[in-house]
Amino acid sequence: MPTDADFYALELFLDDEDRALLHRVRGFMEKEVQPVINRFWTRAKFPHELLPGLRELGIAGLPYSGYGCPGKSPLLDGMVAMELARTDPSIATFNGVHGGLAMGSIYLCGSEEQKQRWLPAMARMKQLGAFGLTEPEVGSGASRGLTTTARRDGDTWILDGRKKWIGNASFADLTVIWARDADDGQVKGFVVEAGTPGFTTENLEDKIALRVVQNARITLDGVRVPEGNRLQRATSFRDTAEVLRMTRAGVAWMAVGCARGAYEHALAYALEREQFGRPIGGFQLVQDLLVRMLGNITASATLCARLSQLQAAGLARDEHASLAKAFCTVRMRETVGWARELLGGNGILLEHHVGRFVADAEAIYSYEGTREMNTLIVGRAITGISAFV
């Protein structure tokens, strides 16, 4: 499959060591994941047998320093997310939930003791993480409308409520649960360990996107969590938002990868598929679609690369991540649609892969903040006026 969608050679921003890691990720995804992923996508199962190979890549918690984490740049972290999604957005999402949302919550909001306790094993993927924020009736309005409660009882906290769409939850060893403190009304974070009484999960069925990701409903019925498992630096939703700012940039990179995967499969098809005695890649309308796709991918990737530079410099704000997420997911949706169009009827067959990217793009478009919510964040930044309800 052609791999020249990095049209402006953004990989050259990486040093030789980081570029070698990126290429190892690419090799693993192409050799180990691509040949089997359609089967797991169709069955809506997670390929646990691929976890040893993912562990060996050493990409969990890539941008964090210390605690057994690699301490790499935001740019490499984003490009790895893109590379994972380029072959399969579900694997990219799994890693984003574990290494981004779950590990990120502990890294940004945990005490030194908590980071030492959990992050080394999570960095080795010996313990897997999940992140429980969204609820059945509360998605975009989580900052004000979170209904899961936490009540202090001596040296423990009692959690009650429900969560929905929680990736990895059915097999995670550690799940970060965000709940509202019944006493002060503030949102706080708690690490719930697998097997804790009152904590149950149920996988969501019949999804049309990211079918490999095991999204679950969580029920918390009198779940007792020790004070030592409360994230000590998470005292309000502002701390939750700090985690989301970081991971939202990763989702923008995933959108680039999803679009790039669809484009590269479409390009390969255009060079092989013959009609009227020659490859369809030689027809003007097909080349027009390919160039439109490549333009979207290149614009999105360069935007994300600059965002990564801002992150590295400590200059990235909410609106920077939100603009990237909103822009890149819209361009992704457009690009995968053009890829499916180029393949004609074959575009809906999984054997050509493009149909999977078309479906998976719908989930990336919505999670980690819808286009509308991210638009309001950027709109507030550029006008100084909040249009939130």
Side-chain angles (χ1 to χ4, degrees):
M1 185 173 69
T3 57
D4 57 355
D6 185 13
F7 203 64
Y8 280 10
L10 297 179
E11 283 186 21
L12 296 181
F13 284 145
L14 302 174
D15 61 27
D16 291 344
E17 179 182 316
D18 288 354
R19 195 157 55 248
L21 174 57
L22 186 70
H23 292 172
R24 286 199 299 275
V25 172
R26 179 178 303 163
F28 173 79
M29 295 299 291
E30 290 182 348
K31 294 174 185 176
E32 304 297 330
V33 178
Q34 184 163 301
V36 303
I37 199 63
N38 282 343
R39 176 164 52 92
F40 286 96
W41 196 92
T42 302
R43 293 162 53 213
K45 299 295 183 182
F46 184 81
H48 290 277
E49 55 264 47
L50 295 176
L51 283 176
L54 281 171
R55 289 189 185 107
E56 290 180 9
L57 293 174
I59 57 174
L62 198 60
Y64 313 138
S65 298
Y67 317 103
C69 299
K72 294 294 186 176
S73 68
L75 180 62
L76 178 62
D77 186 45
M79 285 190 168
V80 165
M82 176 184 69
E83 199 62 59
L84 295 173
R86 173 180 165 267
T87 295
D88 182 56
S90 289
I91 297 296
T93 300
F94 157 77
N95 189 65
V97 170
H98 168 69
L101 290 166
M103 290 183 68
S105 296
I106 295 168
Y107 185 77
L108 293 175
C109 301
S111 66
E112 183 65 23
E113 183 277 328
Q114 289 172 329
K115 289 186 276 192
Q116 294 284 0
R117 190 194 331 169
W118 289 312
L119 288 179
M122 296 179 81
R124 299 193 306 273
M125 288 192 182
K126 293 300 184 182
Q127 285 191 311
L128 298 177
F131 177 91
L133 176 63
T134 303
E135 299 179 352
E137 305 301 329
V138 181
S140 297
S143 62
R144 299 180 184 177
L146 208 66
T147 62
T148 298
T149 59
R151 180 168 53 85
R152 184 75 181 259
D153 182 23
D155 291 334
T156 65
W157 292 80
I158 302 173
L159 307 182
D160 289 287
R162 296 182 300 156
K163 299 292 182 180
K164 186 178 180 182
W165 294 112
I166 312 307
N168 305 352
S170 57
F171 57 78
D173 301 289
L174 305 168
T175 301
V176 177
I177 294 292
W178 298 94
R180 192 173 300 280
D181 187 338
D183 288 333
D184 64 14
Q186 297 295 332
V187 173
K188 296 175 180 175
F190 303 85
V191 177
V192 180
E193 300 177 28
T196 301
F199 181 90
T200 57
T201 66
E202 176 190 5
N203 277 345
L204 295 169
E205 304 291 342
D206 302 324
K207 295 187 299 173
I208 69 164
L210 296 180
R211 291 174 55 79
V212 172
V213 176
Q214 302 302 291
N215 293 100
R217 296 181 183 88
I218 294 176
T219 299
L220 301 121
D221 184 8
V223 175
R224 285 188 171 270
V225 178
E227 164 65 12
N229 281 30
R230 179 181 66 82
L231 294 176
Q232 298 297 302
R233 295 176 56 201
T235 59
S236 73
F237 192 81
R238 286 190 299 273
D239 302 303
T240 319
E242 185 179 357
V243 179
L244 296 174
R245 181 191 313 129
M246 175 184 64
T247 57
R248 190 165 287 151
V251 176
W253 277 110
M254 286 184 209
V256 178
C258 181
R260 181 173 173 177
Y263 162 79
E264 289 178 346
H265 283 292
L267 174 58
Y269 182 89
L271 296 176
E272 297 168 1
R273 174 74 167 177
E274 292 191 359
Q275 292 290 286
F276 309 107
R278 59 178 173 142
I280 65 172
F283 295 128
Q284 291 179 359
L285 292 178
V286 170
Q287 290 191 3
D288 178 67
L289 286 176
L290 289 169
V291 173
R292 290 186 188 194
M293 287 186 267
L294 182 60
N296 277 351
I297 293 164
T298 304
S300 297
T302 51
L303 186 156
C304 285
R306 178 55 182 157
L307 174 59
S308 293
Q309 292 173 337
L310 291 174
Q311 289 178 297
L315 299 175
R317 300 190 298 271
D318 288 342
E319 56 266 29
H320 294 133
S322 289
L323 180 62
K325 202 280 179 177
F327 179 85
C328 294
T329 53
V330 169
R331 298 285 80 81
M332 166 198 66
R333 214 181 192 193
E334 193 173 56
T335 300
V336 299
W338 284 332
R340 179 260 175 276
E341 181 179 334
L342 189 151
L343 267 68
N346 283 332
I348 67 172
L349 293 174
L350 280 180
E351 67 181 273
H352 296 286
H353 294 282
V354 168
R356 175 164 49 84
F357 288 100
V358 172
D360 288 350
E362 289 304 299
I364 298 173
Y365 182 73
S366 294
Y367 70 40
E368 285 269 8
T370 62
R371 185 196 65 80
E372 292 82 2
M373 293 300 292
N374 282 297
T375 295
L376 293 179
I377 292 172
V378 179
R380 179 178 59 192
I382 62 179
T383 66
I385 303 170
S386 176
F388 286 94
V389 174

